[in-house]
Amino acid sequence: LVPEGEIRAVDNERLARLIEEALASYGVEAKVMQINPGPTVTQFGVEPGWDHKYKEVKLKDKNGHVKVYQDEISRTRVKVERIVSLANDLALALSASSIRIEAPVPGKPLVGIEVPNVSAGVVGLRSVLEGHAFQRLKAKSRLAIGLGKGTGGETVAADLAKMPHLLIAGATGSGKTVFLNSVISSLLMFNTPDELRFIMIDPKR
């Protein structure tokens, strides 16, 4: 049996080639430089290529035959807007229900194309609490909470003290109860009963 991680890596490489081919078919030169698998989506970091302008040059060889050459006179970076405007066409080419384009990826000279995974991955609370983001925040605040993982697979944490009035909303089955359990567990893990008190009210009962 082939491990699931290896299968997903092969699928992601295939999707990366499809993205490059789809963009090229619309006259946009680009190359996938990064693949960041997340629990529900995979982010492909695309580096925009160049728009080339050519002029036709005719030269005669020693036999008097005319040969035509294409001489590059200028090149400019592909505009990010051109990639963003192709979101629906890319979704069709990738057989995806929808895609999200982050232009640009913060801190990187790349355009992020986020494609939904075929199946959602499981995010364990332990991996979030042991992640760099939570550990760094825990050193500053006793009310650090683990939120989960981002689109690129990086762990995400927040300080509850900076948002004391927190509303958790969402459709049925979107994960509100799981998230609330994660918040409670995050607080219980690193605080003693003498340091932490809960008042829990269930208005349905």
Side-chain angles (χ1 to χ4, degrees):
L1 293 175
V2 180
E4 185 180 346
E6 291 184 19
I7 294 175
R8 185 169 292 182
V10 171
D11 287 342
N12 288 340
E13 289 291 339
R14 181 180 61 82
L15 287 176
R17 302 289 78 78
L18 282 175
I19 290 171
E20 292 176 353
E21 291 168 8
L23 290 172
S25 69
Y26 291 104
V28 177
E29 182 183 294
K31 184 172 180 60
V32 175
M33 304 300 292
Q34 287 184 359
I35 301 176
N36 302 314
T40 56
V41 300
T42 297
Q43 184 188 70
F44 296 86
V46 176
E47 181 181 58
W50 300 90
D51 277 329
H52 304 272
K53 288 187 178 179
Y54 299 93
K55 72 174 181 179
E56 197 175 86
V57 179
K58 295 181 179 179
L59 295 173
K60 285 186 178 180
D61 61 15
K62 59 184 179 181
N63 297 322
H65 298 108
V66 177
K67 291 191 174 182
V68 180
Y69 298 93
Q70 296 290 328
D71 187 29
E72 184 179 274
I73 56 174
S74 69
R75 66 175 187 166
T76 55
R77 275 286 183 189
V78 171
K79 289 186 177 180
V80 172
E81 289 80 10
R82 289 182 62 192
I83 298 176
V84 174
S85 66
L86 294 171
N88 292 335
D89 299 291
L90 284 171
L92 181 64
L94 300 173
S95 301
S97 56
S98 65
I99 65 170
R100 176 177 174 267
I101 296 182
E102 186 178 27
V105 176
K108 297 178 183 178
L110 301 172
V111 175
I113 298 177
E114 297 172 3
V115 182
N117 295 334
V118 176
S119 59
V122 176
V123 178
L125 181 61
R126 176 173 181 166
S127 64
V128 176
L129 298 184
E130 290 179 348
H132 178 68
F134 183 87
Q135 291 297 319
R136 186 177 56 192
L137 195 59
K138 182 171 72 74
K140 301 176 183 177
S141 172
R142 303 186 84 99
L143 297 179
I145 56 174
L147 299 181
K149 290 188 177 181
T151 54
E154 74 283 358
T155 57
V156 181
D159 184 3
L160 189 61
K162 292 185 178 179
M163 46 177 181
H165 306 290
L166 172 64
L167 173 68
I168 303 169
T172 302
S174 60
K176 299 184 296 297
T177 303
V178 173
F179 173 70
L180 192 57
N181 288 337
S182 297
V183 171
I184 295 168
S185 298
S186 298
L187 297 173
L188 290 175
M189 278 290 294
F190 302 101
N191 293 286
T192 67
D194 295 328
E195 297 167 334
L196 184 67
R197 292 287 189 276
F198 281 110
I199 299 176
M200 294 185 177
I201 303 169
D202 185 354
K204 290 183 180 179
R205 297 184 185 182

